[in-house]
Amino acid sequence: RAARGGAAAARRSGRCLVTTMSNVAAAEWLKLRTIPLHYILVSVGAAFVMVIVVLVAALNGDPEFFFSDDLANLVGVTSVVAALSVSGVSVLAITGEFAHNTIRPTLAAVPDRSRAFLGKGLVLAAVAAAVGAITAWVPYLVGLVIFNARGADIGISGDDGSLAILVGLPFFFVLLALFGYGLGLLLRSLPGALAIVILWPLLVEGIIASVLNVAGVDEPLQFLPYQSSFALVTADTDDFFYGRVGGGVFFGLVVLVLIAGGIAINSRRDV
């Protein structure tokens, strides 16, 4: 009888957890989609990729020498800008709540703060994955049609890395979105978190790599999580210390540490 009672309590607890997370996700999705700036940032990033791909496909002087991996690399490299815009949305989503105190009603409704913050992170990750998939596949297919109409022979292949980029881009978007979210949780400051999101890949890791090279460290890329994740958006991964999957996992672990630290700090800090 006691065992049956324990099992029933466990089932009720599980249903309660699922219901709570579902309600949190619904509320976070509502907040995320009702802010026009989020649409603007995502649209500008995705449009940038599309415009560059269409211009290159339409103006390339030797389309017959442009191959699937070249088009995939073009989509992958330009999509970094779109992924940064999604990361910016994550920073805005969390720091805006702290700045305007809209986080208080959420935490009042969900006393377990870890569930509230996890719910927001899951919604941001889901949106980032969807945006990443659209940003990867739509420009690639449009570029494929234009190039092939001009005499190229471009397809989608798992042998040259083109398919790997198209599959890896949504994961890259998720990583950058959660990277921005983790920084926002830790700093609770829009300018500070945005500055790190932008400067980390452009400046900070470049400086670290230079210092490691001067110090005579072999393979400095093994210590650079952000640059390691670029293996997800590159056809040729020979220069990446951890490879495609390993580079993503390395950056993902760093992101998890940021989010876990942010949740731990905000679970104890007054908001």
Side-chain angles (χ1 to χ4, degrees):
R1 187 176 302 173
R4 287 197 298 271
R11 286 195 297 270
R12 286 195 298 270
S13 177
R15 286 195 296 269
C16 181
L17 174 60
V18 171
T19 301
T20 300
M21 294 302 294
S22 176
N23 291 337
V24 169
E28 295 302 332
W29 169 238
L30 177 64
K31 287 187 283 188
L32 191 65
R33 65 186 174 87
T34 51
I35 299 178
L37 182 57
H38 295 166
Y39 291 97
I40 294 172
L41 286 173
V42 171
S43 298
V44 169
F48 173 79
V49 179
M50 179 65 78
V51 168
I52 297 299
V53 170
V54 169
L55 287 176
V56 171
L59 302 177
N60 186 275
D62 297 302
E64 63 273 15
F65 297 109
F66 206 88
F67 303 107
S68 301
D69 57 333
D70 298 317
L71 179 56
N73 275 325
L74 177 62
V75 172
V77 170
T78 53
S79 290
V80 173
V81 175
L84 283 173
S85 71
V86 172
S87 188
V89 169
S90 294
V91 172
L92 287 168
I94 184 61
T95 59
E97 292 223 48
F98 287 118
H100 301 291
N101 282 326
T102 54
I103 194 70
R104 289 181 180 273
T106 299
L107 298 181
V110 187
D112 186 342
R113 293 186 176 187
S114 61
R115 294 185 186 180
F117 292 126
L118 283 174
K120 180 180 281 291
L122 289 174
V123 171
L124 291 171
V127 171
V131 173
I134 294 170
T135 305
W137 285 93
V138 174
Y140 185 88
L141 293 176
V142 170
L144 179 152
V145 170
I146 297 174
F147 267 114
N148 288 349
R150 299 184 63 224
D153 185 21
I154 293 176
I156 300 174
S157 173
D159 298 327
D160 58 12
S162 57
L163 180 60
I165 291 178
L166 297 176
V167 173
L169 268 171
F171 292 98
F172 183 72
F173 273 65
V174 170
L175 289 175
L176 260 66
L178 294 180
F179 179 63
Y181 180 57
L183 289 172
L185 275 174
L186 282 172
L187 301 179
R188 307 209 313 192
S189 165
L190 174 60
L194 270 182
I196 294 177
V197 163
I198 296 171
L199 293 179
W200 188 269
L202 300 178
L203 182 63
V204 176
E205 286 202 355
I207 294 174
I208 295 174
S210 298
V211 171
L212 292 175
N213 278 321
V214 171
V217 175
D218 294 330
E219 300 287 352
L221 189 61
Q222 63 181 305
F223 302 104
L224 307 176
Y226 203 121
Q227 291 189 29
S228 295
S229 71
F230 288 160
L232 291 170
V233 299
T234 306
D236 184 3
T237 60
D238 290 342
D239 294 332
F240 291 90
F241 185 82
Y242 297 106
R244 191 182 309 281
V245 175
V249 171
F250 181 25
F251 189 40
L253 291 174
V254 173
V255 168
L256 285 177
V257 169
L258 288 175
I259 293 176
I263 291 176
I265 289 173
N266 284 286
S267 293
R268 295 169 173 79
R269 189 192 311 184
D270 183 28
V271 296

